[in-house]
Amino acid sequence: MPRLVELPERGRLLAATDLQGNLRDFRRVVELFEQAAAEPDGAVLVITGDLVHGPEIPASEWPEYLGTFYHADSPTLLREAQELLRRHPGRVHFLLGNHEHAHIGGPVVSKFFTDEAQRLEQLLGAARTREIHKWFDSWPLMAVARRARLLLLHAAPSAQIGSAADLEAISLRPPARAPDQEEVWLLDSVLAGILWSRTATGARARALLRAIDPDLRVAIYGHDVAREGYVIEREPLLCFSTSFGCFDGDKLYLDWDLARRARSARHVARGGLRPLHPSAAPVFRSR
Ligand SMILES: [Mn+2]
């Protein structure tokens, strides 16, 4: 399976970030995608990683900073994600996030459990865990829409690569070394600049876009929480939040015509980001 997905030149691109086990928000994304897919030009869906690992906290102890209450159900979400793939072959793409990577060689992630991957694998059982490992191993790292001039990935684009071919050479598992060297491996790795970075300089981000395709104008990702729905720290960076850490009225998804050439992150944010739950009032974002 290629690590870089080529998106079509027409139809609609729907994109969502960081669901973290939120089944209700995932189902809403699926509903929007299937409506768009039924139109004559069709649609593709890209979810930019961190589909799994969320809170299992009672409503009475729910902290304000996590946004609207939900109880994570990653096992059901994974099953529905696979059913969605089967219904729309070649039209749905799940990009690897650091939370999926934790299952297949990446560093341990601690969010609500000290080892999130271990918690989910406990819920999945051994046989289902093996299936999920095999599936995660096949996930791409980036998706490119050349005509629309967009690159999608999990985290801020700070990896230094020479060309798209470098992505295919990436190993998801650390080289055989002493276990105490694992963190060093990640810091050295080009994967850190795809799965973990929270920001990137404009120069570093543009160099990555250029390495994939000199025409690209915008890098789109999540990983961090943008409580008001999106953040443009600087061009060409567009970070947006579809679910995790947000109140319902602030959650956004991307809907972009693949034949429309993006000029900048600001252009895409203004023209393509839409509320996931239009009837919910925004808390952090002004209308
Ligand atoms: Mn992440």
Side-chain angles (χ1 to χ4, degrees):
M1 292 296 286
R3 297 286 178 210
L4 177 66
V5 172
E6 297 282 343
L7 299 175
E9 297 200 337
R10 48 181 44 80
R12 278 159 70 188
L13 164 65
L14 269 68
T17 63
D18 314 287
L19 274 304
Q20 309 263 189
N22 189 323
L23 200 53
R24 176 173 155 264
D25 287 348
F26 176 72
R27 287 172 175 168
R28 173 72 183 142
V29 170
V30 169
E31 178 187 22
L32 290 161
F33 164 66
E34 293 198 312
Q35 282 166 6
E39 288 167 20
D41 279 344
V44 290
L45 174 65
V46 176
I47 296 187
T48 65
D50 289 2
L51 211 53
V52 294
H53 300 171
E56 299 174 35
I57 304 171
S60 58
E61 288 164 37
W62 184 259
E64 189 276 348
Y65 74 86
L66 288 176
T68 301
F69 172 77
Y70 76 105
H71 190 273
D73 184 355
S74 299
T76 306
L77 203 156
L78 288 172
R79 203 168 52 242
E80 294 191 9
Q82 290 181 308
E83 286 161 10
L84 182 68
L85 276 179
R86 278 191 283 273
R87 287 202 299 279
H88 302 276
R91 307 296 287 181
V92 175
H93 305 284
F94 296 104
L95 306 184
L96 198 72
N98 57 301
H99 282 266
E100 286 83 20
H101 190 210
H103 289 266
I104 50 169
V108 170
V109 282
S110 308
K111 215 175 176 90
F112 304 102
F113 297 89
T114 42
D115 184 337
E116 288 284 352
Q118 187 186 63
R119 167 62 183 164
L120 176 52
E121 291 179 7
Q122 193 177 39
L123 294 172
L124 292 171
R128 183 69 179 142
T129 292
R130 280 191 296 277
E131 284 173 20
I132 291 298
H133 283 188
K134 206 172 151 202
W135 186 37
F136 285 171
D137 261 321
S138 74
W139 285 19
L141 295 168
M142 298 183 188
V144 62
R146 294 183 196 271
R147 188 173 181 194
R149 311 202 290 193
L150 308 174
L151 184 72
L152 297 106
L153 70 166
H154 180 63
S158 64
Q160 292 178 285
I161 58 169
S163 74
D166 292 351
L167 294 179
E168 306 305 326
I170 291 174
S171 166
L172 297 181
R173 289 180 173 74
R177 278 189 206 161
D180 63 345
Q181 294 294 298
E182 279 196 17
E183 296 305 316
V184 176
W185 163 73
L186 185 84
L187 291 175
D188 283 347
S189 163
V190 64
L191 277 174
I194 300 172
L195 301 181
W196 286 92
S197 314
R198 297 203 182 271
T199 188
T201 64
R204 189 70 86 82
R206 274 190 292 272
L208 177 58
L209 292 177
R210 228 172 14 246
I212 303 293
D213 183 330
D215 277 344
L216 301 183
R217 289 293 181 277
V218 187
I220 299 173
Y221 57 95
H223 180 56
D224 213 351
V225 176
R227 298 214 79 184
E228 47 302 289
Y230 76 96
V231 172
I232 297 171
E233 249 191 312
R234 63 185 70 84
E235 294 290 341
L237 307 174
L238 175 55
C239 175
F240 78 100
S241 290
T242 301
S243 181
F244 185 72
C246 291
F247 288 102
D248 281 348
D250 296 319
K251 296 172 180 179
L252 300 175
Y253 71 99
L254 179 73
D255 183 347
W256 189 259
D257 180 347
L258 285 162
R260 183 179 184 192
R261 292 159 71 80
R263 292 191 301 268
S264 64
R266 200 153 299 280
H267 180 215
V268 175
R270 287 194 182 140
L273 291 176
R274 314 214 185 297
L276 185 69
H277 302 290
S279 58
V283 175
F284 283 89
R285 190 176 64 254
S286 47
R287 278 206 194 260

